[in-house]
Amino acid sequence: MTVKSKILIVEDEDAISNFMEMTLKANNYSVICAKKGKEALSMIPSHCPDLIILDLGLPDIDGITILKELRTWSSTPVIVVSARSDEADKVEALDIGADDYIVKPFGTSELLARIRTAIRHNTSNHSGPSEHLFSVKHLKIDFQKRLVIIEGNEVHLTQIEYKIVSLLAKSAGRVLTYDAIITELWGPYAVKDNQILRVNMANIRRKLEKNPAAPEYIFTEVGIGYRMAEE
């Protein structure tokens, strides 16, 4: 089963937010919404969106401030959607770390094209220009299609489970510490409690391993973290 890309819409105007939400859901994206900056910052670590659509004129925190904060700990693609059309505003947002900038009003086709491009570029940046596939023994991962396959059969993983497997696969052979995985997935302010990670890993092993007690793919380095088998 293909894992849907999850998009966080940060927009306080109901009409625009509803329009984007309906458009994205109709095009098979998973969508969550926030109307204020503080709400968005609290949602990002827990929901791990694949892309953020960010309005600059929010009622509590300016979008530029949110973008600056986000870029101190996350590389999640951000598309700014704003009524501010001045070149200086665009340059500032892009220099700070926005991946794209769309001026309101905008059309459906433009929005979807920008989203596809941002997600594709993010996938390429993380997996290398030609490294969209990972394979070891009977496990195959297609990072572009977000598919995990064991012995020719697609495996259904939750969003978080897929992100854990993908993260480990992209660093195959290296040990990733518990804290590094938690920070990457849930943000630097997440409680460094390994329990939620262990629960997800137990679920992953039940889905990937023939014998979860004697894993072939993801190994535990006791007291340190996890390591994916190398290709």
Side-chain angles (χ1 to χ4, degrees):
M1 180 181 292
T2 302
V3 180
K4 294 181 181 180
S5 293
K6 182 184 291 186
I7 298 178
L8 168 61
I9 298 172
V10 189
E11 169 65 66
D12 65 317
E13 293 186 42
D14 289 338
I16 296 175
S17 179
N18 292 339
F19 161 72
M20 289 192 289
E21 182 179 6
M22 290 175 59
T23 298
L24 296 180
K25 286 183 175 179
N27 284 271
N28 205 35
Y29 290 104
S30 173
V31 182
I32 52 177
C33 300
K35 294 183 181 298
K36 295 184 178 181
K38 291 181 179 178
E39 180 186 8
L41 288 173
S42 68
M43 291 173 69
I44 293 168
S46 58
H47 289 275
C48 300
D50 296 289
L51 180 137
I52 299 167
I53 297 176
L54 177 65
D55 180 31
L56 296 185
L58 298 170
D60 58 342
I61 306 175
D62 188 79
I64 292 295
T65 302
I66 294 173
L67 188 54
K68 287 180 180 177
E69 165 70 16
L70 182 65
R71 282 296 175 253
T72 64
W73 59 271
S74 174
S75 59
T76 301
V78 175
I79 297 178
V80 169
V81 175
S82 176
R84 302 176 192 176
S85 58
D86 289 348
E87 184 174 309
D89 291 317
K90 296 181 183 179
V91 171
E92 181 181 18
L94 293 170
D95 279 347
I96 290 171
D99 294 79
D100 208 340
Y101 194 111
I102 304 176
V103 177
K104 299 175 183 177
F106 52 87
T108 300
S109 297
E110 179 183 13
L111 176 65
L112 293 173
R114 301 289 187 94
I115 288 172
R116 288 194 298 269
T117 298
I119 291 177
R120 183 170 63 248
H121 285 177
N122 188 56
T123 301
S124 299
N125 289 338
H126 280 81
S127 60
S130 60
E131 298 176 5
H132 302 306
L133 299 174
F134 173 82
S135 176
V136 58
K137 298 184 181 179
H138 300 295
L139 171 65
K140 299 183 186 301
I141 302 173
D142 186 323
F143 297 120
Q144 282 193 316
K145 295 181 179 179
R146 300 169 68 85
L147 291 176
V148 177
I149 299 171
I150 285 284
E151 297 182 340
N153 298 313
E154 292 183 19
V155 180
H156 173 66
L157 299 177
T158 66
Q159 290 277 350
I160 292 298
E161 289 167 1
Y162 174 79
K163 287 176 183 289
I164 292 171
V165 171
S166 176
L167 180 64
L168 290 169
K170 290 171 182 176
S171 298
R174 291 176 48 211
V175 177
L176 297 185
T177 66
Y178 300 126
D179 283 359
I181 296 171
I182 291 170
T183 298
E184 179 70 22
L185 297 183
W186 287 282
Y189 306 115
V191 176
K192 297 301 188 287
D193 180 356
N194 298 338
Q195 184 60 32
I196 187 172
L197 185 56
R198 287 172 177 162
V199 169
N200 278 285
M201 185 57 67
N203 292 333
I204 289 169
R205 282 182 168 146
R206 279 195 291 271
K207 296 175 181 180
L208 299 187
E209 307 283 2
K210 287 183 177 179
N211 180 4
E216 297 180 65
Y217 302 111
I218 301 176
F219 306 103
T220 300
E221 301 292 337
V222 180
I224 301 174
Y226 299 105
R227 173 174 55 87
M228 174 70 80
E230 292 186 82
E231 296 181 78

